[in-house]
Amino acid sequence: MKQTDQTLLEQLRITEFEIEQRKQLFELEPRDEMLLRAAGHLVESHLEELVTRFYELQTSTPEIALLIGDADTLQRLRNAQRRYVIDLFSGVYDLEYVNNRLRIGLVHKRIGVEPKLYLAAVQSLKTLLSAQICELIPDIEVRGHTLLALDKLVMFDVALVFETYIRSLVAEIETSRNKSEQYARSLEEKW
């Protein structure tokens, strides 16, 4: 990980207390965690087809296909996506989970994924997961509550990722400002 990314992660450091506050803001409750964990076993049994379909959709968008580039990168992304989905349905949304989401934001920002592309990908994934949950959970009430829990968690994740985008942009502006100030001082010293 780049030094600037590590510095940003340190600035973004979120405490367990902050995580609990955020869960309350998004109304992510223990019942939601339990429902997602239960659905995880079902989703994992169809994980390969989900990831395959997700990347078929992603690579059909020229901008995204260009960002992905080669087959090796696509394979790394597929592996990362598998881990991401497994984490979504782990039922454990703690400090490690949050830090992984913050790193995802930094990586997406660093490689130049525009927010519109990130959000479109999140929507595609959520749509695929929702369809899968509808197929795999026969009980209408459990299915509805599980879909709502997934919505809450996805919004929780998106908020974390966008915080890293914003903080990263602010850090870039501060770095540019500092360089400009240093350059101006060096010019003043020469005169």
Side-chain angles (χ1 to χ4, degrees), residues 33-67:
E33 295 171 358
M34 180 196 71
L35 287 164
L36 290 167
R37 185 173 31 254
H41 300 296
L42 300 170
V43 170
E44 281 185 48
S45 66
H46 298 284
L47 187 57
E48 211 44 55
E49 65 192 63
L50 176 97
V51 171
T52 297
R53 182 67 185 129
F54 176 77
Y55 278 104
E56 286 172 356
L57 291 170
Q58 294 303 294
T59 56
S60 70
T61 303
E63 282 178 281
I64 297 172
L66 189 60
L67 278 171

Side-chain angles (χ1 to χ4, degrees), residues 53-119:
R53 182 67 185 129
F54 176 77
Y55 278 104
E56 286 172 356
L57 291 170
Q58 294 303 294
T59 56
S60 70
T61 303
E63 282 178 281
I64 297 172
L66 189 60
L67 278 171
I68 291 173
D70 58 34
D72 288 340
T73 302
L74 180 58
Q75 188 56 45
R76 282 193 305 275
L77 289 170
R78 289 173 60 85
N79 291 337
Q81 189 69 4
R82 283 184 202 94
R83 284 189 304 273
Y84 181 82
V85 172
I86 289 168
D87 284 352
L88 273 178
F89 291 93
S90 70
V92 179
Y93 313 109
D94 58 5
L95 198 54
E96 182 180 349
Y97 178 91
V98 166
N99 283 327
N100 284 335
R101 287 346 190 219
L102 296 175
R103 277 190 284 285
I104 288 169
L106 288 174
V107 168
H108 281 82
K109 169 67 178 76
R110 186 174 12 117
I111 65 174
V113 177
E114 294 179 51
K116 69 180 180 182
L117 297 176
Y118 172 77
L119 289 172

Side-chain angles (χ1 to χ4, degrees), residues 135-178:
E135 278 181 33
L136 298 172
I137 300 178
D139 184 295
I140 293 171
E141 189 174 336
V142 173
R143 181 187 321 139
H145 288 296
T146 303
L147 290 170
L148 182 58
L150 179 62
D151 283 343
K152 292 176 191 180
L153 184 60
V154 167
M155 291 306 296
F156 179 82
D157 278 13
V158 167
L160 290 167
V161 169
F162 267 82
E163 268 189 57
T164 60
Y165 265 87
I166 292 166
R167 295 256 179 107
S168 180
L169 289 171
V170 168
E172 286 175 17
I173 291 167
E174 288 175 0
T175 299
S176 293
R177 187 190 71 217
N178 289 340

